[in-house]
Amino acid sequence: MASNYKITYNVDMVFCIDCTGSMDNIIDIVKNNALNFYHDVTSVMESKNKHISQLRVRVVAFRDYLADAENAMLVTDFFKLPEQSADFERCVRSLVADGGGDDPEDGLEALAYAIKSPWETEGMKKRQVIVVWTDAATHKLGFGRTSPYYPSGMASDLNELTAWWGGVQQTGYIDRNAKRLVLYAPDAPDWNLISQNWDNVLHFPSQAGNGLSELDYNQIIDTITNTI
Amino acid sequence: MSMLNKKKKSSTKKYTLTKPNTIFAVAGEMVPGKGEDSYYYATVENNSIVAVFDGCGGIGSKRYGNYSEKTGAYVASRAVCGGVKSWFEESPRQDEALKGYIKRALKVCDAYGDKGGRLMGSLTKSFPTTAAMVCVLDGEATCYWAGDSRCYLLDEDGLHQLSEDDINGEDALSNIFDDGVLTNVICSSKDFVLHKKTISLSKPGIFLTATDGCFGYLKSPMDFEFLLTRTMLSTKNILDWQTLMHANIREFTGDDYTLCVAAFGYEDFYSMQKSFSKRTAFVDQNYIKSPLPIPVKWQSYQKEYTKFMQQS
């Protein structure tokens, strides 16, 4: 009676990748991880009978507004996969670790761009996943505000960014049921505050995921693909 | 804080519950040997229990070397099931003690579970599982639950959900589609609420407890009722009914599934079928074959479906 009825998912992913100079020794690993990540999520979902009707991936490459000016933030549109998989791969492969100035980076601005993505709002079920790879703490939001390249309309502080993410009672810019945030980031400000206080967050405290075991990786993929 | 979140008694004319006519489970795993559901049913004299547990594979996906690389979800559903079994066997009349039995079972999980793994964040919980139980004791039925597994009553008026989903969602229909986040779940790393509701029957009925693999992959709650009664009416005895339900659920589900059934007040299988024949035809006509959109059909269906929920 119900055999022709299949639940399908629209999956959107945004990959925020730290492209500052300190990432130089691991940027190639991160690129490979980013390219494998969407594939691993989708194949695990399919293996669990969660059929994907649409898959889109977007890249936010970030550095430091004060140090890197116009090269501080690269934000792409969503690539529709598998149709644009070659374009997506070309984009990821082209990323270069360079610049960055001091140790903390403008990771929160990258996260803000990701949260405000033009998410798919249609479809039976949705997954909206943001993944951050970085080896550095964050500047406070607005640290680079004096840069002429700093975006207007940016969240003024972490409290506002938290509201953009949303909570149990309030809806932000991302679907409260579909959202997942994966942090491959050090246990350092403000990543640790986000890890402790935001809902639907998975944090692997590390230098951009360095030292990630297969066991932990599988746990991350299972957590994203399963209902929570 | 109270041990149990008590909901008010809902009642009309009282129908005394004794031994169930039949009590059984229908269960299946998506991947053999890796299922994260568990169940327990038993009858001791006039006391019975039907209980299901669904280990939460998302937040409980950490694997434990000390538990043969099984996930926390897998271990939790079985450990909590064991705790409930002990409670039913040792002190079922002390319902305030139930949460203590569950917590002790989880404490053992924690004590022997290896502490490895570096993942942090709100999406990680230790040994998380749902629970949905109906316990019939001294002629009275009591539901206990946490999470999105459900307690139901099926009678000649239709299917009634007794538990209220611990989901960040609107209602039983939207909870199927919205993939809502669980707001309360049994686990060892955080306190949880074990809800309680006492139900009095006014006519013969069937208590069911179900994990979301049974109902969460159907189009609507109406389809679940139709599955239960259509399979009942299509078979000749309890065993066939059980087998057909198993085959039907397996056909559409994308998850492990567990359904526990306890029927009260029927003379035999034929009288049970007879009491559901009129209602099944009505559901077929008005909610299954009807071309109206599901939300419209749900609007008219949900009054009866939520009758006991509204009384809480």
Side-chain angles (χ1 to χ4, degrees):
Chain A
M1 69 184 225
S3 57
N4 295 326
Y5 176 71
K6 293 283 181 201
I7 289 176
T8 58
Y9 282 78
N10 284 335
V11 179
D12 284 343
M13 295 186 193
V14 183
F15 295 155
C16 300
I17 301 174
D18 181 342
C19 288
T20 56
S22 62
M23 291 284 289
D24 188 44
N25 59 336
I26 47 172
I27 191 76
D28 286 334
I29 296 169
V30 169
K31 287 181 195 177
N32 286 331
N33 289 345
L35 291 169
N36 289 333
F37 191 87
Y38 84 88
H39 180 260
D40 292 341
V41 168
T42 53
S43 61
V44 170
M45 286 184 78
E46 290 289 348
S47 76
K48 293 180 177 175
N49 267 0
K50 295 175 189 233
H51 304 285
I52 295 169
S53 58
Q54 177 181 282
L55 173 63
R56 305 186 307 161
V57 184
R58 182 181 197 214
V59 178
V60 178
F62 66 93
R63 294 188 178 93
D64 181 328
Y65 278 102
L66 290 183
D68 301 300
E70 72 269 34
N71 295 319
M73 196 74 61
L74 161 82
V75 185
T76 73
D77 291 333
F78 273 112
F79 295 96
K80 203 167 179 181
L81 303 179
E83 297 92 315
Q84 295 178 291
S85 54
D87 294 336
F88 168 63
E89 181 162 357
R90 204 172 302 124
C91 169
V92 171
R93 295 275 178 224
S94 71
L95 298 174
V96 177
D98 189 26
D102 58 356
D103 182 40
E105 311 299 353
D106 288 341
L108 294 182
E109 279 80 359
L111 187 53
Y113 269 107
I115 292 171
K116 271 199 161 181
S117 291
W119 303 106
E120 179 59 80
T121 54
E122 300 299 317
M124 196 181 273
K125 291 199 179 195
K126 295 178 277 292
R127 275 285 185 282
Q128 296 170 350
V129 185
I130 298 172
V131 189
V132 177
W133 284 274
T134 181
D135 67 343
T138 71
H139 284 133
K140 293 294 172 195
L141 260 167
F143 177 82
R145 200 173 281 135
T146 54
S147 164
Y149 298 96
Y150 196 82
S152 59
M154 179 53 65
S156 56
D157 54 24
L158 187 61
N159 285 338
E160 190 178 353
L161 189 65
T162 301
W164 286 16
W165 177 251
V168 176
Q169 301 300 334
Q170 91 215 79
T171 304
Y173 286 107
I174 182 165
D175 187 294
R176 66 179 181 176
N177 291 326
K179 68 183 178 186
R180 307 284 189 272
L181 172 61
V182 180
L183 299 175
Y184 293 108
D187 187 6
D190 281 335
W191 300 122
N192 50 9
L193 289 176
I194 290 170
S195 171
Q196 287 159 23
N197 297 301
W198 288 17
D199 57 353
N200 295 13
V201 176
L202 210 48
H203 182 193
F204 182 73
S206 60
Q207 305 294 311
N210 215 4
L212 181 70
S213 70
E214 192 183 341
L215 214 59
D216 284 330
Y217 183 69
N218 290 339
Q219 188 183 340
I220 289 168
I221 301 297
D222 282 340
T223 304
I224 289 169
T225 53
N226 287 339
T227 307
I228 54 172
Chain B
M1 197 179 115
S2 162
M3 287 293 279
L4 297 165
N5 183 20
K6 293 188 178 179
K7 309 246 169 175
K8 284 180 194 165
K9 193 175 190 173
S10 56
S11 158
T12 50
K13 191 178 75 185
K14 197 165 175 176
Y15 180 88
T16 305
L17 294 160
T18 53
K19 258 190 171 172
N21 308 105
T22 184
I23 187 165
F24 64 86
V26 172
E29 298 177 314
M30 281 302 286
V31 181
K34 291 191 175 174
E36 289 171 343
D37 281 7
S38 185
Y39 66 89
Y40 171 58
Y41 67 85
T43 298
V44 179
E45 297 171 349
N46 283 339
N47 302 329
S48 310
I49 186 169
V50 279
V52 298
F53 310 89
D54 181 357
C56 306
I59 50 179
S61 57
K62 179 182 171 181
R63 291 184 183 277
Y64 292 84
N66 290 355
Y67 295 122
S68 309
E69 296 301 330
K70 299 292 188 191
T71 64
Y74 177 100
V75 175
S77 69
R78 284 154 178 84
V80 171
C81 181
V84 169
K85 181 173 183 283
S86 299
W87 168 79
F88 184 72
E89 289 171 351
E90 292 165 13
S91 47
R93 282 174 185 81
Q94 297 168 30
D95 67 1
E96 295 288 328
L98 176 56
K99 192 172 174 182
Y101 274 83
I102 291 172
K103 281 189 153 184
R104 275 195 293 280
L106 291 170
K107 210 173 167 184
V108 173
C109 295
D110 254 344
Y112 291 97
D114 34 324
K115 308 289 181 260
R118 289 164 58 184
L119 283 173
M120 302 157 49
S122 51
L123 279 179
T124 58
K125 284 194 173 67
S126 300
F127 303 105
T129 182
T130 71
M133 307 170 245
V134 179
C135 184
V136 173
L137 207 65
D138 302 328
E140 198 167 56
T142 306
C143 307
Y144 305 92
W145 76 92
D148 64 349
S149 294
R150 292 177 177 173
C151 304
Y152 292 103
L153 171 66
L154 179 66
D155 63 21
E156 62 183 26
D157 295 331
L159 183 68
H160 316 282
Q161 187 175 333
L162 307 175
S163 53
E164 292 171 49
D165 300 336
D166 283 325
I167 289 186
N168 199 354
E170 204 177 303
D171 58 29
L173 180 66
S174 79
N175 288 349
I176 291 177
F177 293 107
D178 290 349
D179 224 5
V181 173
L182 288 177
T183 53
N184 172 51
V185 71
I186 293 171
C187 67
S188 69
S189 51
K190 204 180 160 193
D191 196 20
F192 57 88
V193 176
L194 187 64
H195 303 285
K196 174 188 172 183
K197 185 188 276 181
T198 304
I199 304 289
S200 293
L201 294 197
S202 57
K203 57 185 82 168
I206 303 171
F207 285 113
L208 305 114
T209 50
T211 60
D212 66 346
C214 300
F215 54 81
Y217 291 79
L218 289 166
K219 287 178 204 166
S220 70
M222 297 81 93
D223 288 82
F224 186 50
E225 179 183 336
F226 191 59
L227 181 147
L228 296 169
T229 59
R230 184 186 56 81
T231 51
M232 182 203 296
L233 297 183
S234 311
T235 46
K236 289 178 181 163
N237 54 51
I238 293 287
L239 192 62
D240 286 352
W241 181 33
Q242 203 175 333
T243 306
L244 190 60
M245 273 200 287
H246 186 95
N248 270 236
I249 296 171
R250 182 150 204 95
E251 198 181 319
F252 65 78
T253 195
D255 200 353
D256 305 322
Y257 55 92
T258 306
L259 177 71
C260 279
V261 178
F264 292 88
Y266 302 98
E267 280 177 27
D268 50 29
F269 188 63
Y270 175 72
S271 71
M272 189 194 292
Q273 286 178 310
K274 205 174 154 192
S275 76
F276 286 101
S277 61
K278 200 172 158 190
R279 170 71 185 176
T280 306
F282 177 81
V283 170
D284 191 20
Q285 189 66 34
N286 292 280
Y287 301 119
I288 305 299
K289 287 186 180 141
S290 163
L292 289 171
I294 287 173
V296 176
K297 293 192 275 190
W298 169 240
Q299 195 106 26
S300 98
Y301 179 83
Q302 66 174 322
K303 191 180 168 197
E304 195 61 46
Y305 180 84
T306 58
K307 186 166 78 178
F308 287 87
M309 293 163 80
Q310 284 161 0
Q311 285 173 0
S312 64

